[in-house]
Amino acid sequence: QVQLVESGGDLVQPGGSLRLSCAASGSIFRLATMGWYRQAPGKQRELVALIFSSGSTTYADSVKGRFTISRDNAKNTMYLQMNSLKPEDTAVYYCNSRRMGLEYWGQGTQVTVSS
């Protein structure tokens, strides 16, 4: 069983920055594909970014050049640095862990971009 706990969500003005964290339990963190997803009100959950065990990354087109996903395997923690935030980035952001057919989700953290 893997437990994921997100933190760092907040209210921020357009153009601002936030860093989200996802702390994971378990010793297999370094082997898992980790990801950030988000869900805005009335919309389906969508992929924001993935980081593989190799360290390679992939991003949704909507966040490329603005968001950076990273991981610290020594701390069992994943991060999402979000810059140049836009109102359309407003959503609940979820942490996801995936390995060998097993998938886990965090409880989510709210990010609101508004003036």
Side-chain angles (χ1 to χ4, degrees), residues 6 9 20 36-41 43-46 48 82 88-95 105-112:
E6 302 99 332
L20 304 183
W36 287 100
Y37 292 74
R38 67 187 181 186
Q39 187 166 18
K43 295 188 177 181
Q44 290 189 331
R45 191 174 297 188
E46 63 176 2
V48 175
M82 304 186 293
E88 51 263 43
D89 294 318
T90 295
V92 178
Y93 284 70
Y94 295 92
C95 173
W105 292 92
Q107 82 288 349
T109 186
Q110 176 70 47
V111 172
T112 302

Side-chain angles (χ1 to χ4, degrees), residues 53-112:
S53 57
S54 63
S56 61
T57 59
T58 186
Y59 295 91
D61 287 343
S62 59
V63 307
K64 279 181 183 176
R66 300 188 299 123
F67 291 9
T68 303
I69 189 171
S70 62
R71 65 194 297 166
D72 185 336
N73 290 337
K75 295 182 178 179
N76 276 15
T77 302
M78 176 179 65
Y79 304 98
L80 184 68
Q81 178 66 43
M82 304 186 293
N83 298 328
S84 302
L85 283 161
K86 304 175 181 180
E88 51 263 43
D89 294 318
T90 295
V92 178
Y93 284 70
Y94 295 92
C95 173
N96 175 274
S97 173
R98 192 183 311 160
R99 180 176 178 266
M100 295 186 68
L102 296 177
E103 187 173 42
Y104 302 92
W105 292 92
Q107 82 288 349
T109 186
Q110 176 70 47
V111 172
T112 302

